[in-house]
Amino acid sequence: RAKDEGRNNYQFYTPSVNQEGIERLKMETMLRHAIERDEFVIYYQPRINTKTRELVCVEALVRWVHPELGMIHPKDFISLAEDTGLIVEIGELVLRKACMQRKKWTDLGLPLFRISVNLSPRQFRQLDLPEVITKVFKETKMDPSLLELEITESAAMQDVNLSILMLRVLKDMGMTIAIDDFGTGYSSLSYLKKFPIDVIKIDQSFIRGIQNRDSDDAAIVRAIIVLAHTLKLDVTAEGVETWDQAYFLEEQNCDEIQGFLFGKPMTPKTLQDWFKLEHTDAAVGGY
Ligand code: C2E
Ligand code: MG
Ligand code: MG
Ligand code: MG
């Protein structure tokens, strides 16, 4: 890196810094076009009740399908969208698509599982967020009780008092509130108690390590589950990939499980097929 090698070398690196700026600008322009041309599609990942095996919720996960580049995953554009503010528009269109999808599933006779939508830190700080959501609900005839909002622990902790107010308004509108990526955001327990929330989603980084029952990860997961239940919250584990992990989580009374073990994020059509399969073949998912 230029910094490590002394000031005299700094000049040498300038062109590549500019190059990076140009790339960013190109990406930003592409993102704006993507919004205009409606290049975003939503994949849905099932979340299952650990005990009953019922589908409780599906998480809406955005993908950008670029005409030439193909499918682009959130890790490659969400942070740019956040920095440029474009996330506000993208977030609204994700919400609208998800609500419309819920309506289609209702019309097809699928059960009333919730849909969860991720809110970015920037979106969560928009004071007109409740208005925007109300507008989308009206347009799509969405039942608020079928929508769950996921806010990351670190976003919720940024301005705790404002977060509490915003969460209160959103919850009073009838939605379910989840804290996403829990365990990575240093939340203070006294604040956690004050947040009007319903669900804690344990970050997948802790789930990987639970194979070893004596590991720190296993201890942390046990502690989070007890903590959540003490606060009368439901707990979901994210990133569950193996039966061994699922058994452990069931033993520890983790309420819900989400991960590749039960289903990857999928298109609405694939989710419908998955749902039919789960409900006709007792061997799938039943143990
Ligand atoms: P997240 O909200 O924590 O979502 C879970 C991510 O973990 C998803 O990645 C999902 O595909 C992945 N995942 C689920 N189960 C497993 C598993 O068993 N193993 C592994 N290795 N991964 C698993 P994805 O779809 O790439 O999304 C990444 C992140 O991008 C999301 O993390 C969320 O923070 C963000 N994101 C996605 N869609 C949206 C959106 O519409 N708005 C906003 N603001 N952020 C979004
Ligand atoms: Mg999430
Ligand atoms: Mg997460
Ligand atoms: Mg994440």
Side-chain angles (χ1 to χ4, degrees):
R1 314 198 78 227
K3 215 173 78 188
D4 304 330
E5 288 163 22
R7 271 173 196 282
N8 293 339
N9 283 334
Y10 186 74
Q11 284 277 323
F12 181 75
Y13 287 88
T14 305
S16 81
V17 170
N18 284 341
Q19 195 57 42
E20 243 173 65
I22 291 165
E23 286 304 317
R24 262 181 83 85
L25 208 61
K26 269 195 210 156
M27 272 287 280
E28 189 182 333
T29 308
M30 280 167 60
L31 256 185
R32 284 184 198 283
H33 284 157
I35 296 171
E36 284 161 23
R37 297 175 196 160
D38 194 20
E39 291 172 356
F40 297 99
V41 298
I42 318 293
Y43 277 49
Y44 296 90
Q45 186 180 32
R47 184 162 118 198
I48 269 91
N49 179 300
T50 315
K51 294 224 160 62
T52 65
R53 300 278 118 162
E54 272 164 345
L55 179 60
V56 278
C57 186
V58 296
E59 180 169 6
L61 295 158
V62 69
R63 274 93 182 91
W64 171 12
V65 184
H66 186 274
E68 279 117 50
L69 301 174
M71 192 181 294
I72 306 172
H73 283 258
K75 69 167 173 28
D76 295 319
F77 69 90
I78 290 288
S79 74
L80 180 69
E82 180 76 10
D83 294 348
T84 53
L86 291 171
I87 194 70
V88 175
E89 255 180 278
I90 296 172
E92 184 178 335
L93 67 86
V94 170
L95 176 69
R96 184 172 291 105
K97 283 175 195 281
C99 291
M100 281 162 50
Q101 188 57 56
R102 181 54 267 190
K103 178 79 170 49
K104 283 185 199 158
W105 281 329
T106 303
D107 292 346
L108 283 170
L110 269 75
L112 298 175
F113 51 82
R114 291 192 299 274
I115 286 194
S116 71
V117 168
N118 292 283
L119 285 186
S120 85
R122 172 102 111 182
Q123 261 182 298
F124 185 57
R125 287 284 167 257
Q126 300 284 311
L127 293 178
D128 67 349
L129 178 67
E131 265 174 75
V132 170
I133 297 177
T134 302
K135 183 187 76 182
V136 173
F137 282 170
K138 277 204 185 118
E139 279 172 24
T140 58
K141 301 190 172 63
M142 176 75 178
D143 172 355
S145 73
L146 294 181
L147 190 76
E148 181 169 316
L149 297 174
E150 298 192 7
I151 293 115
T152 61
E153 183 188 23
S154 46
M157 290 305 295
Q158 267 171 26
D159 179 341
V160 171
N161 290 322
L162 191 58
S163 293
I164 293 171
L165 286 176
M166 181 59 91
L167 291 172
R168 184 81 260 159
V169 172
L170 298 172
K171 199 170 152 61
D172 286 346
M173 287 168 64
M175 288 171 275
T176 302
I177 312 285
I179 297 293
D180 203 358
D181 301 347
F182 189 81
T184 61
Y186 311 102
S187 54
S188 124
L189 295 184
S190 59
Y191 286 132
L192 194 60
K193 200 181 83 176
K194 287 189 199 156
F195 284 146
I197 55 175
D198 306 283
V199 179
I200 282 180
K201 298 187 79 173
I202 306 175
D203 191 68
Q204 54 186 63
S205 58
F206 301 105
I207 305 305
R208 270 177 227 133
I210 62 180
Q211 232 94 358
N212 174 2
R213 304 296 195 246
D214 298 324
S215 64
D216 290 346
D217 286 342
I220 291 168
V221 168
R222 281 193 202 95
I224 295 176
I225 294 170
V226 171
L227 167 72
H229 287 160
T230 306
L231 296 174
K232 302 201 164 50
L233 306 172
D234 282 338
V235 204
T236 299
E238 289 193 282
V240 178
E241 295 181 352
T242 68
W243 283 111
D244 185 63
Q245 292 166 342
Y247 291 139
F248 173 81
L249 291 161
E250 190 184 25
E251 274 161 29
Q252 301 304 319
N253 293 317
C254 183
D255 304 284
E256 297 158 2
I257 295 181
Q258 181 178 341
F260 293 171
L261 177 66
F262 290 109
K264 292 198 169 180
M266 44 193 136
T267 63
K269 175 73 178 71
T270 311
L271 188 102
Q272 283 154 225
D273 295 343
W274 172 91
F275 184 80
K276 273 189 224 143
L277 190 69
E278 284 284 300
H279 287 262
T280 47
D281 180 356
V284 177
Y287 66 88

